[in-house]
Amino acid sequence: MLDDTDRRILRHYQHDATIGPSELAELAGVTPATCTRRLERMTQAGFIRANRAVIDWRALGYEVEVSLRVTLDKTQPRAFDEFMAAARDVPDVIEIQTFLGRVDVRLSVIARDMAHYQQIYRSAILTLPHIADIEALMHVARIKSDEALPL
């Protein structure tokens, strides 16, 4: 379990994982040694999964994002596994989510422009196995995208 000190450390750490242990310790009100020890413990326990760079794909020239809601052909016993394996191999698919209900899977696809999206859709998406139905939702604006937790 996490105590109040762990939560204070995580609260500051999640907003800037690049700050050093001394600065993080000061913000959290603990010693640098305590901060380092607790970060290591929380990482080993799986509370901290990774430190990563978040790249703005729009800055790299990707202007189109489409959310595809996919319903799979459930008459095929391996439909889910085979679809997931193939979808993971599409480089332009940046996120895959699964659901219970009418929609089985949601794919987030990025493209440089509509012509590029159309090429991806025809050559990589429509060739995925076991699709029974697919609905495309064009992304217009991202109102909130925050991975920070209310600690």
Side-chain angles (χ1 to χ4, degrees):
M1 289 299 290
L2 298 178
D3 62 16
D4 288 340
T5 302
D6 292 330
R7 291 180 191 283
R8 275 196 317 276
I9 291 169
L10 286 176
R11 186 178 311 118
H12 295 287
Y13 189 65
Q14 73 180 345
H15 291 291
D16 185 3
T18 65
I19 62 176
S22 296
E23 186 179 349
L24 181 58
E26 185 177 327
L27 290 169
V30 297
T31 67
T34 297
C35 184
T36 299
R37 189 174 57 253
R38 286 179 178 249
L39 281 173
E40 288 172 358
R41 181 179 49 80
M42 288 186 286
T43 299
Q44 290 172 354
F47 292 108
I48 300 171
R49 293 189 312 177
N51 295 323
R52 61 184 177 172
V54 178
I55 299 169
D56 182 355
W57 46 265
R58 288 192 186 276
L60 295 175
Y62 289 87
E63 296 296 327
V64 174
E65 180 180 5
V66 178
S67 180
L68 299 173
R69 295 182 188 175
V70 179
T71 303
L72 299 175
D73 176 5
K74 295 174 195 72
T75 64
Q76 302 297 318
R78 300 225 358 104
F80 187 83
D81 294 334
E82 290 173 6
F83 177 87
M84 287 302 162
R88 282 186 188 100
D89 290 338
V90 179
D92 305 288
V93 172
I94 61 169
E95 185 177 24
I96 301 173
Q97 295 179 336
T98 60
F99 297 92
L100 294 175
R102 191 183 69 77
V103 172
D104 297 308
V105 181
R106 185 184 70 80
L107 305 177
S108 286
V109 179
I110 58 170
R112 290 185 296 279
D113 52 34
M114 285 306 293
H116 183 224
Y117 170 72
Q118 189 173 36
Q119 184 265 326
I120 294 166
Y121 186 75
R122 288 180 178 167
S123 66
I125 301 300
L126 289 180
T127 61
L128 292 172
H130 308 295
I131 295 176
D133 188 35
I134 190 165
E135 176 186 12
L137 300 171
M138 180 63 63
H139 180 264
V140 175
R142 187 169 315 282
I143 307 302
K144 182 176 180 180
S145 178
D146 193 357
E147 292 185 2
L149 298 174
L151 297 172

